[in-house]
Amino acid sequence: MSLRIAFLASKADVAQQALAELETRYGHVSPEQADVIVALGGDGFMLRTLHSMVDHPAPVYGMNCGTVGFLMNEYRAEGLTERLQDAVQEIINPLSMTAMDRQGGVHKELAINEVSLLRAGPQAARLQVSVDGRIRMPELVCDGALVATPAGSTAYNYSAHGPILPIGADVLALTAIAAFRPRRWRGALLPSNAMVRFDVLEPEKRPVMADADSISVADIDWVEIRTELNIRHKILFDPGHGLEERLISEQFT
């Protein structure tokens, strides 16, 4: 029985060219009818695809038509059906972000990589950090802070000198961005079921924005972040090139 494949592509020329070639070779069905969804683009497009396909049961197999492609497989038009049949599945639980802005509006978003808080003015942010209802840091003065999943630990988290987390590790990375006080504080490792809360101190003087996988909320008062265990993103990788191997390899480059 042949696989029913739904192809989705970013607007980049190279991705659109790949889309036309693959649809000609393998046909195309809607995501609702698909056994597998193939995403053509870079990591940003892969994240958008996972978010938009969260209610579809089919797993997502990415092929890199972008730059970094950490979440993607190598692009090749030949032998796609066999690659999909042999692919290894990884399960990723996203983060749930609840943020309240200073006007009292509540915003809820999901993040596969990380939820980050960033200063939105010339002065450093002042944040109070709580874990599971207990204040752990009364004042963190910094350019920002983030909470990253294992899948997202090699993205913004790694650039901010946070740790790389193995896939399957039941931990989250809480990482400071350019911490000023406490000086050089880089963050902490937390259980994956922890609830992290940031309260913005002096928000009128030191405004802060929140970002969940590039979905931004301006002028926030507080943010709560936790793992959303009820949502399971299914991602396919070629054998020997899954997230576990990529995370290990990244630490030796």
Side-chain angles (χ1 to χ4, degrees), residues 157-191:
N157 171 71
Y158 193 37
S159 297
H161 305 291
I164 292 180
L165 306 177
I167 290 295
D170 289 328
V171 294
L172 301 172
L174 194 169
T175 301
I177 303 169
F180 177 73
R181 187 182 305 119
R183 183 76 73 178
R184 298 187 182 88
W185 186 76
R186 294 248 176 116
L189 294 177
L190 302 173

Side-chain angles (χ1 to χ4, degrees), residues 90-180:
E90 304 270 10
I91 300 294
I92 293 176
N93 298 110
L95 298 173
S96 171
M97 177 188 82
T98 302
M100 190 175 82
D101 61 36
R102 291 182 58 214
Q103 290 71 46
V106 176
H107 309 263
K108 295 187 177 183
E109 301 292 347
L110 296 173
I112 296 166
N113 274 358
E114 77 279 319
V115 173
S116 55
L117 279 74
L118 303 167
R119 74 177 194 182
Q123 298 193 66
R126 290 183 64 225
L127 306 174
Q128 176 180 279
V129 184
S130 302
V131 179
D132 292 331
R134 179 179 174 182
I135 296 174
R136 291 290 185 175
M137 187 167 288
E139 181 187 64
L140 170 62
V141 181
C142 56
D143 279 353
L146 61 86
V147 176
T149 66
S153 64
T154 59
Y156 192 10
N157 171 71
Y158 193 37
S159 297
H161 305 291
I164 292 180
L165 306 177
I167 290 295
D170 289 328
V171 294
L172 301 172
L174 194 169
T175 301
I177 303 169
F180 177 73

Side-chain angles (χ1 to χ4, degrees), residues 8 13 54-55 64 116 128 145 148 152 161 163 167 172 179 230 250:
L8 302 175
D13 289 343
V54 67
D55 294 324
N64 190 21
S116 55
Q128 176 180 279
H161 305 291
I167 290 295
L172 301 172
N230 293 325
E250 188 74 22

